[in-house]
Amino acid sequence: MSAKLACPVSAANHILIEEEELDSALNSCLAVLGESSKACRSYVYTIKNDCIKESHAWINPDRKKNNKDFQLLNSLTTTVPEIFRSLTNVEYVVGYTNEIKELLFKQIMSERKVETFLFIPIFDGNILWGVLSFEHCYIVEWTLDKIELIKVFSKNISIKINEIRYRKTIGKKLVFKYYGQDVLEGFWEFDIDNFELKFSSNWAKILGFSIYEIEHSYDFWRKRVHPDDIIEIENLREKYISGHIEDFTGLYRIRNKENKYIWVKFATLLY
């Protein structure tokens, strides 16, 4: 993997996990990824009713300050370019403006001084929800390892979209009904390679601890999970990591500070 891009992508994925609202998460993520890839622009266009509707964008401050070619695509056209439509059948499109066959889109990209582009689809289920893109105003090489990193981030956007929908509709109702009280949402990161954990303060609070009272280790978490649940969770986790199942979500019991077992609901992002 490209070491220079791996850390920013990891940071962007962490933002997706921590931020509750998708809009603010995307704007922050695009700034991190756009700057690290030295792009002129990075953006997400959403597609609704066969039109480009909204954008979340980062524009390189130097380009914005010194040039007038920083306009976003949806400020020039609402028509979905054919090259975007092709993303329903391919994993990504990378190329150069002078090779674009669609004349109107080629003209728009040329006027905006774009020379190299990367488009990656974002799906909501099987529907093309939007396009994640990076534009450079000079020739760059997008290697496969860099593209794979960005593809993972794109897939995690899709997971976030589903997570927000679940929380707004079914999720909140089921959890509220189950617990009969307001629900805290906490996060923890598991580094698969190094077997290291990092818990958020809200996660500790769910168990009745402060962040300073818990040990950030796999052993700390595992010993608190109910013996009847731990084997199933670990088996499902391995299946998820290996790609044998698409989702790793559910309920399990964990022992809180008062040594009482409580039920917690979890959802997972893999990056």
Side-chain angles (χ1 to χ4, degrees), residues 18-238:
E18 291 291 341
E19 287 279 358
E20 291 188 5
E21 298 298 326
L22 184 61
D23 287 348
S24 59
L26 287 179
N27 288 330
S28 299
C29 292
L30 290 172
V32 170
L33 296 176
E35 185 173 357
S36 64
S37 63
K38 298 181 180 179
C40 294
R41 308 170 197 84
S42 58
Y43 54 78
V44 169
Y45 288 129
T46 57
I47 297 174
K48 296 179 182 178
N49 299 323
D50 211 30
C51 294
I52 299 174
K53 286 293 185 180
E54 300 174 353
S55 64
H56 304 81
W58 173 84
I59 301 171
N60 188 301
D62 292 336
R63 300 294 303 184
K64 193 171 183 179
K65 180 179 179 181
N66 300 322
N67 296 277
K68 296 182 179 179
D69 59 15
F70 60 82
Q71 295 98 327
L72 295 175
L73 184 61
N74 64 334
S75 67
L76 302 174
T77 180
T78 58
T79 303
V80 180
E82 287 301 320
I83 199 168
F84 281 12
R85 297 180 192 278
S86 70
L87 291 170
T88 58
N89 301 314
V90 297
E91 294 184 342
Y92 64 90
V93 174
V94 63
Y96 307 101
T97 295
N98 60 7
E99 297 176 351
I100 296 175
K101 296 181 180 180
E102 189 179 351
L103 293 181
L104 177 59
F105 188 54
K106 182 176 183 178
Q107 178 182 340
I108 290 173
M109 296 287 274
S110 297
E111 289 176 354
R112 295 165 65 244
K113 304 294 191 294
V114 178
E115 292 200 34
T116 311
F117 57 83
L118 171 65
F119 300 141
I120 295 182
I122 303 170
F123 289 99
D124 183 0
N126 295 321
I127 299 172
L128 182 64
W129 178 88
V131 177
L132 171 63
S133 178
F134 297 86
E135 296 178 346
H136 287 79
C137 299
Y138 51 92
I139 301 296
V140 298
E141 180 184 2
W142 277 101
T143 59
L144 287 178
D145 57 347
K146 291 180 181 178
I147 293 173
E148 286 300 319
L149 283 169
I150 301 296
K151 280 168 57 181
V152 169
F153 174 68
S154 175
K155 289 178 181 178
N156 284 338
I157 296 175
S158 299
I159 293 173
K160 187 70 173 181
I161 293 168
N162 290 325
E163 176 193 328
I164 290 172
R165 180 189 298 112
Y166 180 78
R167 225 168 43 220
K168 287 181 177 179
T169 55
I170 301 173
K172 277 188 175 178
K173 293 179 182 177
L174 285 180
V175 174
F176 181 84
K177 187 175 180 182
Y178 191 86
Y179 293 105
Q181 60 185 18
D182 291 335
V183 177
L184 284 172
E185 188 176 61
F187 297 93
W188 56 285
E189 261 189 338
F190 178 32
D191 185 330
I192 299 169
D193 295 328
N194 298 315
F195 234 65
E196 295 176 351
L197 286 180
K198 182 179 180 181
F199 300 103
S200 71
S201 57
N202 251 17
W203 187 91
K205 192 175 180 180
I206 289 171
L207 300 188
F209 293 102
S210 74
I211 190 66
Y212 306 106
E213 294 178 291
I214 63 173
E215 179 186 334
H216 293 268
S217 71
Y218 186 81
D219 192 54
F220 175 84
W221 171 80
R222 195 181 194 282
K223 286 181 177 179
R224 305 197 79 85
V225 177
H226 195 285
D228 292 342
D229 297 338
I230 187 63
I231 300 301
E232 181 181 3
I233 290 173
E234 290 182 326
N235 286 340
L236 287 174
R237 184 193 67 211
E238 293 308 310

